[in-house]
Amino acid sequence: MLATVGASLVFTGLIVWLYVGRNMVGRITRLDASMRAIADGDLDAEVPVEGADEIGDMAGALRTFRDKLATTQAELVQAGKLAALGQLSAGIAHEINQPLAAIRHYARNGGKFLEQGRTHEVRGNLTKISELTERVRQIVSRLRAMARKPGKGLNEVDLGKVVGNVLVLLEGAVRDCGAEIKLDIDTRARLVLAGQVRLEQVVLNVLNNALDAVREATQKTIVIASAMREGMVELSIADSGSGISPGAREQVFDPFFTTKEVGKGLGLGLSISYNIVKDFGGAMTVDSIPGGGAMFRIRLKPATGGAGR
């Protein structure tokens, strides 16, 4: 009888261990790992939905939450990008109106030259009209590319082209601010794994902040450079502004944190940029520069075979 009871207890314990230990505890452990991954910002984390019990219901709810969070984040990124373009609208309108006014001037003068038989001057005016038209096309093309919803895929992106495209949009703002832009893009640290449109949004946000920082400064310099650091490509944007306090440095990437006046910023640009870079598998930091100014560092994975090309 004792042997039978003992065997029954062992058998029961084995069943409980197999069901609870390997089934329920294992499922809860996997669910916990998924929850931690999502909390860390990995919105592509797999959520295993197994069984038709309470644990399965929890997993289904977590998957729904993950999908809604991913959709909300994508909408927030798009809204932040359009807000940044909206802040640039006055400068961009000026950049377009200026060549359009020049085109009208050259066209009117070209008509007069044509009536006078001065074909050489007409040819010169047509060349200038063609150049100005190309400039307007470039501005509009960058606006369309920046405004569209980006894909989530990552591919080889040229930092030189990213910075150049952003500077086309910011040319009027840079000129009005009186800032000097210095470029030092290392050819060995140029190609990264990212999304072109989203990376342009990050650079646009950081450069906008840099321009605001140097607007009232005596020396208005912004240095954009790239270099290889510990196997990663680092894009740095340094300004000669007043710098950033230790307290603000700890909060600068928090949503809705801003040091700007009311109505001049929602405090979402850097937070969105931080998460975009994180989605790329990179990191974004900020430091004060001794003597004044701030430096934002964007670290990204080099594209396969990209470094040194």
Side-chain angles (χ1 to χ4, degrees):
M1 185 180 294
L2 289 175
T4 303
V5 171
S8 298
L9 290 174
V10 171
F11 181 74
T12 303
L14 183 62
I15 294 297
V16 170
W17 178 78
L18 287 173
Y19 180 72
V20 176
R22 298 188 60 183
N23 187 354
M24 296 185 65
V25 175
R27 290 167 61 197
I28 292 174
T29 300
R30 291 192 294 273
L31 186 60
D32 177 68
S34 298
M35 292 174 66
R36 292 178 184 275
I38 293 171
D40 288 337
D42 182 8
L43 299 183
D44 293 321
E46 184 61 33
V47 179
V49 179
E50 304 169 358
D53 53 11
E54 288 80 0
I55 299 176
D57 292 341
M58 289 173 60
L62 180 61
R63 178 177 287 184
T64 301
F65 170 76
R66 179 204 61 186
D67 295 342
K68 288 184 177 180
L69 188 60
T71 301
T72 302
Q73 185 187 59
E75 292 174 350
L76 185 60
V77 168
Q78 184 70 6
K81 180 168 55 181
L82 296 178
L85 291 177
Q87 292 176 350
L88 293 173
S89 59
I92 292 172
H94 177 72
E95 287 302 299
I96 293 177
N97 284 332
Q98 195 174 35
L100 288 178
I103 287 172
R104 182 175 60 182
H105 168 75
Y106 286 124
R108 184 171 59 247
N109 284 353
K112 293 180 180 179
F113 289 149
L114 191 61
E115 291 174 357
Q116 298 170 8
R118 298 162 62 180
T119 56
H120 180 72
E121 286 87 347
V122 172
R123 188 176 295 108
N125 278 21
L126 290 176
T127 299
K128 291 176 180 178
I129 288 173
S130 178
E131 293 171 352
L132 290 167
T133 302
E134 174 61 20
R135 171 164 176 72
V136 173
R137 187 200 67 78
Q138 289 179 356
I139 295 173
V140 173
S141 175
R142 291 322 313 154
L143 279 173
R144 290 179 61 187
M146 185 73 81
R148 73 171 185 262
K149 289 187 176 182
K152 294 210 67 175
L154 303 183
N155 45 55
E156 184 178 275
V157 175
D158 188 330
L159 285 179
K161 291 182 179 179
V162 167
V163 172
N165 290 339
V166 172
L167 289 178
V168 168
L169 295 178
L170 288 175
E171 185 171 343
V174 171
R175 184 177 57 250
D176 293 342
C177 177
E180 179 186 8
I181 305 291
K182 295 183 179 181
L183 293 176
D184 185 17
I185 304 297
D186 192 336
T187 55
R188 295 167 297 179
R190 189 181 183 103
L191 302 179
V192 298
L193 191 64
Q196 172 109 10
V197 175
R198 286 185 288 166
L199 186 54
E200 287 179 8
Q201 180 180 357
V202 171
V203 175
L204 177 65
N205 286 332
V206 177
L207 276 178
N208 261 330
N209 280 320
L211 287 172
D212 288 339
V214 303
R215 200 171 300 278
E216 304 299 328
T218 303
Q219 183 182 1
K220 303 179 179 182
T221 305
I222 298 174
V223 180
I224 306 172
S226 72
M228 291 298 299
R229 298 271 191 265
E230 300 175 351
M232 300 284 280
V233 176
E234 181 179 280
L235 178 67
S236 61
I237 300 176
D239 64 70
S240 59
S242 58
I244 182 169
S245 67
R249 190 164 65 244
E250 294 178 359
Q251 296 178 277
V252 71
F253 297 120
D254 291 347
F256 303 108
F257 175 80
T258 180
T259 58
K260 298 179 182 179
E261 298 177 10
V262 176
K264 292 191 176 180
L266 295 175
L268 285 175
L270 291 179
S271 175
I272 290 172
S273 299
Y274 178 87
N275 284 290
I276 289 175
V277 174
K278 192 174 180 181
D279 284 344
F280 293 158
M284 187 172 176
T285 59
V286 61
D287 293 298
S288 288
I289 301 174
M295 177 182 288
F296 283 85
R297 290 185 173 91
I298 302 166
R299 286 195 170 190
L300 299 165
K301 294 178 182 178
T304 304
R309 279 174 51 189

